[in-house]
Amino acid sequence: MKIISYFLLFTLMISCGKKEAEPIKLAIDGCEFCKMKIADGKFGGEIITTKGRVYKFDDVHCMMNYRKENEAKKVQSFYIHDFNQSNVLIPAETSFYIKGGDINSPMHGNTIAVQTKEEAEQLAKKFNANVISWSEISK
C-alpha cells in the first residue's frame, strides 16, 4: 500500500508543472490581456505558471502588461512566437528582439522575436528598428 501511495504522489508531482509551450490555436485562442483572438503566428506569446497554467497573448506588449498586473502569479517560463517561423514558440528569455521602426504588431507593441542575434540584426536593418534585450522588454 505504501508503494502505491508513493507512486501516486510522485505522479501527481510531475504532472502539476508544465514545462513546454502549448501550441496557440490561431483564430481560436484569445489573448488573456486584451481578449482579442490571436490571429498572427508571428507576434504572440505565452506564460506558463509554476502550477502549469498557460496564458496566451497576441503580442509581447499584452504579455508584459498582463505580467505587470498579475505579479503574484509565479511564472515558470515565457515563450514568444519566432517571427521567422509562423506559429512556432521559442523561449522568450533566450530570444533576440527588434522593436520600433516599420514593425506593426497586433496591439502595437511593435516588437518581434527571433532565435539568433544574426537574424535580429538583419531584421533590424530591414524594418529600420532597434535590437533590444529580454531585460528591456521584461522590466
Side-chain angles (χ1 to χ4, degrees), residues 3 26 28 35 42 48 73 105 119 131 139:
I3 293 173
L26 298 177
I28 295 171
K35 308 302 182 202
K42 293 183 175 278
I48 302 175
K73 291 186 193 246
S105 64
E119 290 173 298
V131 176
K139 54 178 159 171

Side-chain angles (χ1 to χ4, degrees), residues 3-70:
I3 293 173
I4 293 172
S5 296
Y6 285 125
F7 177 76
L8 290 174
L9 180 62
F10 176 75
T11 304
L12 180 64
M13 285 175 23
I14 63 171
S15 66
C16 285
K18 193 177 204 107
K19 296 191 192 287
E20 294 184 21
E22 182 178 289
I24 292 175
K25 296 176 197 114
L26 298 177
I28 295 171
D29 288 336
C31 176
E32 195 69 38
F33 185 74
C34 72
K35 308 302 182 202
M36 293 180 67
K37 294 287 184 199
I38 303 170
D40 195 329
K42 293 183 175 278
F43 297 101
E46 235 172 57
I47 290 175
I48 302 175
T49 68
T50 55
K51 292 183 178 180
R53 174 81 199 259
V54 178
Y55 297 94
K56 299 177 182 186
F57 306 93
D58 63 350
D59 188 320
V60 70
H61 180 73
C62 285
M63 184 168 72
M64 299 322 295
N65 282 334
Y66 178 86
R67 178 68 184 132
K68 287 175 187 170
E69 288 184 4
N70 296 276

Side-chain angles (χ1 to χ4, degrees), residues 80-96:
I80 193 78
H81 272 142
D82 182 343
F83 183 79
N84 288 329
Q85 301 180 69
S86 187
N87 206 21
V88 172
L89 291 160
I90 56 177
E93 294 94 336
T94 58
S95 297
F96 295 85

